[in-house]
Amino acid sequence: MSGPQPNPAPEREKFSERFNLSRIAIQNPVITLYLLIVLLIAGGAAYFQLGQDEDPPFTYRIMVIRAFWPGATAMQMAQQVSDPMEKTL
């Protein structure tokens, strides 16, 4: 048959020796609660210190013009009305 089977215990030991934040948090509930409260207070303080502008510091270069010319085609409107207005404004 087959040779001796490897022992899975060393693999488990390697796994349990790794850094496990959840295990540390469960084993130290006081420190976990303290850090949670400190982060909550720091986040609230940072939120209320954010600057707020009523208007943003940049401008949108957008303009809307409505022109009516009953019976004109789209090409006529573009050539005779829209293009000259865009160049002027």
Side-chain angles (χ1 to χ4, degrees), residues 4 14 21 23 25 30 42 53 56-57 59 66 69 75 78 80:
K14 251 193 250 180
L21 185 60
R23 181 175 45 86
V30 175
D53 289 339
T59 58
R66 293 178 61 177
W69 187 0
M75 185 65 80
Q80 297 178 17

Side-chain angles (χ1 to χ4, degrees), residues 9-51:
E11 213 172 290
R12 279 195 191 131
E13 288 174 17
K14 251 193 250 180
F15 181 74
S16 64
E17 289 176 6
R18 289 191 300 184
F19 178 74
N20 188 346
L21 185 60
S22 299
R23 181 175 45 86
I24 294 169
I26 291 170
Q27 289 175 350
N28 303 301
V30 175
I31 294 173
T32 304
L33 183 61
Y34 174 75
L35 289 175
L36 180 66
I37 291 171
V38 167
L39 286 174
L40 185 68
I41 291 171
Y47 176 76
F48 287 111
Q49 289 181 358
L50 286 174

Side-chain angles (χ1 to χ4, degrees), residues 65-70 72-89:
I65 298 175
R66 293 178 61 177
F68 297 100
W69 187 0
T73 64
M75 185 65 80
Q76 287 174 327
M77 281 295 291
Q79 290 175 347
Q80 297 178 17
V81 179
S82 301
D83 291 343
M85 272 195 219
E86 286 177 7
K87 288 178 186 171
T88 303
L89 299 173

